[in-house]
Amino acid sequence: MITSGLQHVAAMYAGVVAPPLIVGAAVGLSATELTFLTGASLFTAGLATFLQTLGIWNIGAKLPFVNGVTFAGVAPMLAIVDTTKDKSDALPIIFGAIIVAGVLGFIAAPFFSKLVRFFPPVVTGTVITLIGISLLPVAFGWAQGPNPTADDYGSTTYLTLAAITLVIVLVLRRFTRGFVKQIAVLIGLVLGTLIAIPFGVTDFSPVADASIVGFPTPWHFGAPQFALAAIVSMCVVMVVSMTESTADMLALGEIVDRPADEKTIAAGLRADTLGSAISPLFNGFMASAFAQNIGLVAMTKIRSRFVVACGGGFLVLMGLCPMAASLIAVVPRPVLGGAGVVLFGSVAASGIQTLVKAGLEKDNNVLILAVSLAVGIIPISAPEFYHAFPETAKIILDSGISTGCVTAVLLNLIFNHIGKGSDADDVTAPMEPGEEISESRTTKTVPVH
């Protein structure tokens, strides 16, 4: 149980610490504060995993789910940071928005499980792809160095370190198997950091300054603040997160031979949303199921939810040990950038895999994908596109994930639900796990996968 639980932690560790690193760096946190924020994310991920695996009352799918910080929230949170004049208010505003989104999501969970038909693969695939694309510029920024204003920003030294880390991860993924292959990104971060030492870009002071035992002080960065635009933005993220979690529950239910019914999905969504609502109290972010751990369950054939709960225990312990959390702060930004290319690129690739099931041979779905991607990429390709809009509106508009998701949902309703024209594409209804697209497929409503 211990070794299998640790394996789950290793497989998702990089994914948990990446969002707080991105947001913390954007806010301008010191290395010590960044360590605190990372530890808080580990701690709250453990709590959310407990809720999902062990469950209380009608909360928790009681499946071997690992929960952590969702990547879907990163771009909207960066938009909130960019539009907040006083950066010290950014995290309180983010936390306030997550609390409201979590509470509303908890209330909506039983109803949302009935609305899955409005989030077919063409919608979910588009959104997941946009999440990966939106995060890749962050990895590219890391690869160029820690300080954009420094003279050595983008130097060959930094780019070489990023490239070396990327190559290490690719080699491990290509020539290893099993446990080592699963933690290739983590090994790449360790080896990349060691290689960076002779270059003088590795700083071990965060570890030296960190205590062995600590607790994520509630409201460490200030009491939550509630801004309408930020709340709307995070509510959109919550919808995306709930859609992803629903698909993950259906997939995992098939793997462990316990198909997720409507009751299980509702209970799982309650755990996700309650975990998200509680996380900001301990300075954590929105929680969601981690898809990579589903693959680990399928590979190892270890299906016990108590094993994953054990992994959640390790996450809590790591969150209570600032020294353990500080290790990620030691990793140089270029090394993080090299690993981030794989990490964030894999998110985009996962979205493309989902789009394969979306029936793109149909014109309706092609239009939905084309327009939604175009709208979602605007903040990346043309950052000043919305410069004339009010600051509150820019919080939502500057998040390609939010605008892309809303666009995809609306276009799917217009083209594939409202009126149901003669050329309506029946493959846009969500598919059963493993179901293949065919011309003869009926329009029955089935769960998304």
Side-chain angles (χ1 to χ4, degrees):
M1 180 178 285
I2 290 175
T3 55
S4 297
L6 280 172
Q7 185 169 243
H8 275 285
V9 173
M12 54 88 76
Y13 181 82
V16 172
V17 299
L21 280 174
I22 297 170
V23 177
V27 174
L29 298 183
S30 65
T32 302
E33 294 291 275
L34 206 56
T35 294
F36 181 91
L37 192 65
T38 303
S41 292
L42 292 168
F43 179 76
T44 53
L47 295 182
T49 300
F50 283 151
L51 271 177
Q52 195 65 269
T53 53
L54 302 179
I56 53 173
W57 184 56
N58 288 326
I59 302 171
K62 297 182 180 178
L63 290 169
F65 256 128
V66 175
N67 273 47
V69 184
T70 174
F71 277 115
V74 175
M77 288 190 289
L78 291 178
I80 293 172
V81 173
D82 290 340
T83 53
T84 302
K85 293 182 179 179
D86 186 351
K87 299 304 179 188
S88 63
D89 290 333
L91 285 175
I93 290 174
I94 289 171
F95 291 148
I98 292 174
I99 291 172
V100 174
V103 171
L104 293 177
F106 184 86
I107 296 171
F111 306 102
F112 187 87
S113 61
K114 303 177 187 296
L115 299 176
V116 176
R117 65 189 300 262
F118 297 111
F119 295 89
V122 69
V123 174
T124 56
T126 300
V127 174
I128 297 170
T129 302
L130 280 172
I131 292 171
I133 293 174
S134 298
L135 292 176
L136 280 172
V138 175
F140 301 148
W142 282 349
Q144 296 179 78
N147 186 3
T149 61
D151 294 335
D152 61 350
Y153 187 70
S155 67
T156 54
T157 298
Y158 289 147
L159 296 181
T160 300
L161 287 173
I164 290 173
T165 304
L166 175 59
V167 169
I168 290 173
V169 174
L170 293 176
V171 169
L172 289 172
R173 291 290 298 180
R174 173 62 182 85
F175 295 105
T176 62
R177 57 181 62 183
F179 179 61
V180 175
K181 185 175 183 178
Q182 286 293 324
I183 62 170
V185 172
L186 191 60
I187 295 175
L189 291 174
V190 173
L191 294 181
T193 301
L194 294 176
I195 293 172
I197 293 176
F199 293 91
V201 297
T202 305
D203 180 15
F204 288 97
S205 60
V207 177
D209 296 338
S211 57
I212 298 177
V213 179
F215 185 80
T217 313
W219 312 135
H220 178 81
F221 297 98
Q225 300 178 28
F226 302 95
L228 180 60
I231 290 171
V232 172
S233 181
M234 296 312 295
C235 282
V236 173
V237 173
M238 179 58 73
V239 171
V240 175
S241 177
M242 292 170 75
T243 304
E244 283 189 84
S245 290
T246 299
D248 290 341
M249 277 183 268
L250 290 164
L252 186 59
E254 292 294 316
I255 291 171
V256 301
D257 294 326
R258 202 195 107 188
D261 56 17
E262 190 175 298
K263 182 179 179 181
T264 301
I265 292 173
L269 293 178
R270 287 192 189 99
D272 269 7
T273 52
L274 180 60
S276 296
I278 294 174
S279 288
L281 171 63
F282 302 104
N283 313 284
F285 299 115
M286 190 175 292
S288 179
F290 266 48
Q292 57 262 48
N293 291 85
I294 297 174
L296 193 58
V297 172
M299 182 189 74
T300 61
K301 301 295 191 291
I302 298 175
R303 304 173 178 182
S304 170
R305 61 191 173 103
F306 298 105
V307 167
V308 175
C310 179
F314 283 118
L315 288 171
V316 169
L317 290 176
M318 292 171 71
L320 295 175
C321 179
M323 184 171 288
S326 69
L327 292 175
I328 194 64
V330 173
V331 181
R333 290 292 169 83
V335 173
L336 281 171
V341 171
V342 176
L343 195 63
F344 305 151
S346 296
V347 176
S350 176
I352 294 171
Q353 288 177 327
T354 303
L355 286 171
V356 171
K357 307 172 184 176
L360 295 182
E361 72 279 1
K362 304 295 185 180
D363 289 342
N364 284 357
N365 286 351
V366 172
L367 284 173
I368 294 169
L369 172 62
V371 176
S372 301
L373 277 180
V375 171
I377 293 174
I378 286 175
I380 302 171
S381 58
E384 299 300 319
F385 190 83
Y386 299 113
H387 74 278
F389 284 75
E391 290 297 315
T392 52
K394 287 168 66 176
I395 292 178
I396 300 171
L397 296 174
D398 281 342
S399 167
I401 295 169
S402 297
T403 55
C405 176
V406 171
T407 303
V409 171
L410 291 178
L411 290 179
N412 180 59
L413 285 172
I414 293 170
F415 280 99
N416 296 315
H417 290 276
I418 298 175
K420 293 186 178 181
S422 59
D423 62 342
D425 177 11
D426 55 28
V427 300
T428 56
M431 294 182 289
E432 293 281 9
E435 182 180 355
E436 297 293 335
I437 297 170
S438 68
E439 293 295 332
S440 61
R441 191 171 179 272
T442 64
T443 54
K444 64 180 181 179
T445 301
V446 291
V448 71
H449 175 56

